[in-house]
């Protein structure tokens, strides 16, 4: 069988509901919430619709679960997703659903 260009853990649909958004000085913006469907890895892109209806894309630069840095977040886990740049508090707010870009 041909090798997959992506890790299996990143394949398929993904959904993450944002519970909180904050900034860590020198690191970037963090969203906390729960992975409601699928899984996502560091380096993957997620997208969401802003309140104005614009599609915004962000690349995950880190994932933290239970105070541990991990490479993958799986369905059912509550995690923090770190974004090194992009996004802002006026577009990424509680209740927004992040999906694979």
């Amino acid at each position: 069988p041909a090798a997959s260009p992506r890790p299996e853990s990143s394949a398929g649909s993904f959904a993450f509901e944002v519970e909180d958004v904050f900034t860590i000085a020198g690191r970037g913006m963090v969203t906390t919430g729960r992975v409601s469907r699928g899984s996502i890895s560091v380096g993957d892109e997620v997208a969401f619709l802003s309140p104005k209806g614009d599609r915004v894309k962000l690349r995950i630069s880190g994932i933290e679960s239970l105070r541990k840095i991990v490479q993958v977040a799986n369905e059912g886990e509550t995690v923090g997703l770190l974004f090194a740049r992009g996004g802002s508090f006026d577009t990424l707010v509680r209740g927004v659903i992040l999906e694979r870009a």
Side-chain angles (χ1 to χ4, degrees), residues 11 28 30 34-35 40 42 56 60 76 86 91:
V30 175
R34 182 180 168 115
V35 179
I40 199 84
V42 172
V56 179
I60 298 171
T91 58

Side-chain angles (χ1 to χ4, degrees), residues 18 20-24 27-32 79-83 89 92:
V18 174
D20 199 7
V21 181
F22 54 95
T23 300
I24 297 176
R27 299 247 359 244
M29 184 172 55
V30 175
T31 61
T32 59
V79 298
L81 302 179
L82 174 67
F83 305 101
F89 287 107
L92 188 53

Side-chain angles (χ1 to χ4, degrees), residues 68-89:
K68 292 181 185 173
I69 295 176
V70 297
Q71 293 299 307
V72 178
N74 295 302
E75 188 170 319
E77 294 179 341
T78 299
V79 298
L81 302 179
L82 174 67
F83 305 101
R85 60 183 180 82
S88 65
F89 287 107

